[in-house]
Amino acid sequence: MTGTALVTNDAVALGILATILGFVFYTSSSRHPFWQKFYRFIPALLLCYFLPSLLNTFGVIDGHTSQLYFVASRYLLPACLVLLILSVDLKAILGLGPKAVVMFLTGTIGIVIGGPIALLAVSFIEPSLIGVDGPNAVWRGMTTLAGSWIGGGANQAAMKEIYEVGGNIFSVMVTVDVIVANIWMAVLLFMASKAKEIDAKTGADTSAIETLKNKVEKYHAENARIPNLRDLMLIVAVGFGITGVAHIAADFLGPFFEANYPWTEDYSFTSKFFWLVVIVTTIGLAMSFSPVRHLEAAGASKVASAFLYILVATIGLHMDVSKVLDTPLYFLVGIIWMIVHAGFMLLVAKLIKAPLFYMAVGSQANVGGAASAPVVAAAFHPALAPVGVLLAVFGYVLGTYMAWICGQILQLVAV
């Protein structure tokens, strides 16, 4: 985009983005046949990135001069992470049975090792993908894919800041993320329709799933409630209160490591944003063991999701869709990466005779996060949808740490 943007007032830009998000969510839940057919092929999440990117591409809003992304990434993102992680119930996750947790962690490891393998594989076709560095280096862009495919959009944005990913490579990786992830989700939904036959062939014991259905139904019947103003204000207080504490600590720790241990720059320890994300993740996890976690019953994760989608839209403002067509090799990287993840999942599932439900939901909880893991879980039984959310929230906890590790391995491979 060149020249002066049509809209230069961030208040106006925010209003446009909010209107776009409202339009997408309204139409994606519509029962009108046209919209149902439309969203069967076009994921709503892709539109939340794509429509704002058109504003940037065609000069309506200049995403690089707007301060909306900075505000969203520094204020809304940390609060979002706190509220999402707040609801994680480690005891309940372990109660799902060891095979469910094993399959989820297998999916996480598959993403961590799949990225470097995919980068090496494609570098044989295009050697220029490795041996270089800079904001738009491929390995940096891949860290955002790792963040998204282990945790979700919040972790993806965190990796973008931690590894200082350039706008051009990020634009491509966002598109690779959404397209490749949705192809894999379609495969999982197809497999779900054949679950009984597949489980019968592998000899998996599915009796625990019936118990799980009853437990999930009982839990939500006892805890869910309509939030009142007090609930919402407490949710806001916790999210932004912890964000404030994290900013205080990050403002100290980043410069401290930079001044006293400059060699830790390679591990992101000198980055204030790194400490911001790690601190809110750690505090959120600690508070999940306290009574504060009950704010989830009042909709803490829904408030977090609203913050997240505002962040997603501001990220879209940095995208230039014209760059996507120039880089088909990156889609090959994403496909190979997902094949490694899928192959690893299927192998371990066969070895431990895990039910297909655990494999499918464990994979989607990593790759798709809380937005789509319940969709895959509900394909097995509607009562199991919250299990997808439960595992996906666990992914938010691991996402920051494991994606950072994946980034370190990618850096070793590429640089």
Side-chain angles (χ1 to χ4, degrees):
M1 186 192 72
T2 59
T4 304
L6 182 64
V7 175
T8 56
N9 187 323
D10 275 345
V12 178
L14 178 60
I16 294 173
L17 294 183
T19 302
I20 288 174
L21 292 174
F23 171 79
V24 171
F25 275 84
Y26 179 80
T27 54
S28 64
S29 61
S30 171
R31 295 187 178 183
H32 192 283
F34 170 79
W35 290 117
Q36 289 186 334
K37 185 175 293 185
F38 178 82
Y39 284 104
R40 193 177 303 159
F41 300 101
I42 307 295
L45 180 59
L46 180 58
L47 285 185
C48 293
Y49 284 114
F50 182 70
L51 293 180
S53 77
L54 295 180
L55 299 176
N56 181 54
T57 303
F58 294 108
V60 180
I61 301 173
D62 185 351
H64 298 286
T65 59
S66 170
Q67 294 298 306
L68 289 179
Y69 174 74
F70 179 84
V71 172
S73 63
R74 266 55 177 189
Y75 306 154
L76 299 185
L77 171 61
C80 170
L81 284 170
V82 170
L83 296 176
L84 287 172
I85 295 168
L86 196 63
S87 62
V88 71
D89 187 342
L90 294 178
K91 184 177 179 181
I93 290 175
L94 295 174
L96 295 175
K99 290 183 179 179
V101 178
V102 166
M103 291 312 304
F104 173 82
L105 294 176
T106 296
T108 301
I109 295 170
I111 296 297
V112 171
I113 66 173
I117 290 173
L119 181 58
L120 281 174
V122 179
S123 69
F124 285 107
I125 302 173
E126 183 52 69
S128 66
L129 293 185
I130 60 175
V132 295
D133 202 2
N136 287 296
V138 177
W139 75 267
R140 290 187 188 273
M142 291 176 69
T143 64
T144 66
L145 265 183
S148 178
W149 286 355
I150 297 174
N155 306 87
Q156 180 183 43
M159 291 305 106
K160 180 181 186 298
E161 290 299 314
I162 289 172
Y163 284 103
E164 299 177 344
V165 181
N168 291 338
I169 189 67
F170 184 70
S171 297
V172 177
M173 289 302 171
V174 164
T175 308
V176 171
D177 171 15
V178 175
I179 292 175
V180 174
N182 277 281
I183 290 174
W184 175 234
M185 181 177 172
V187 172
L188 290 177
L189 291 173
F190 174 77
M191 293 174 71
S193 67
K194 308 288 183 183
K196 288 186 178 180
E197 296 92 323
I198 295 173
D199 285 334
K201 287 181 180 179
T202 60
D205 179 11
T206 59
S207 60
I209 294 177
E210 293 303 319
T211 303
L212 190 58
K213 291 176 185 176
N214 297 330
K215 181 179 180 182
V216 169
E217 289 174 336
K218 181 181 179 183
Y219 175 83
H220 279 263
E222 292 176 351
N223 291 277
R225 69 177 189 270
I226 298 174
N228 54 34
L229 182 59
R230 172 184 174 274
D231 292 324
L232 293 174
M233 293 309 298
L234 285 175
I235 289 170
V236 170
V238 169
F240 288 113
I242 293 176
T243 296
V245 171
H247 270 283
I248 292 173
D251 285 345
F252 167 76
L253 290 171
F256 173 79
F257 276 91
E258 186 174 15
N260 296 283
Y261 307 98
W263 57 271
T264 61
E265 182 179 2
D266 290 340
Y267 303 97
S268 306
F269 284 13
T270 60
S271 166
K272 290 183 181 180
F273 194 85
F274 169 80
W275 288 111
L276 177 63
V277 172
V278 168
I279 290 166
V280 296
T281 299
T282 304
I283 295 177
L285 182 59
M287 294 185 74
S288 73
F289 293 96
S290 74
V292 181
R293 70 179 308 276
H294 295 304
L295 286 175
E296 169 57 21
S301 62
K302 289 184 175 64
V303 174
S305 296
F307 292 165
L308 177 59
Y309 277 95
I310 294 172
L311 173 67
V312 164
T314 64
I315 290 174
L317 280 182
H318 287 75
M319 290 173 58
D320 184 344
V321 294
S322 63
K323 300 289 184 182
V324 174
L325 300 176
D326 300 335
T327 50
L329 273 179
Y330 297 148
F331 285 93
L332 181 59
V333 170
I335 290 169
I336 293 175
W337 194 343
M338 192 59 70
I339 288 173
V340 173
H341 163 79
F344 200 42
M345 292 289 287
L346 292 169
L347 175 63
V348 173
K350 184 175 177 61
L351 290 175
I352 68 173
K353 294 185 176 181
L356 180 65
F357 172 74
Y358 290 154
M359 190 285 291
V361 177
S363 173
Q364 196 62 26
N366 277 284
V367 176
S372 57
V375 175
V376 171
F380 290 85
H381 188 281
L384 295 174
V387 176
V389 177
L390 196 64
L391 282 174
V393 170
F394 192 33
Y396 288 125
V397 176
L398 289 180
T400 299
Y401 305 114
M402 299 305 291
W404 177 79
I405 291 172
C406 181
Q408 294 298 309
I409 299 173
L410 284 167
Q411 186 176 19
L412 288 174
V413 168
V415 181

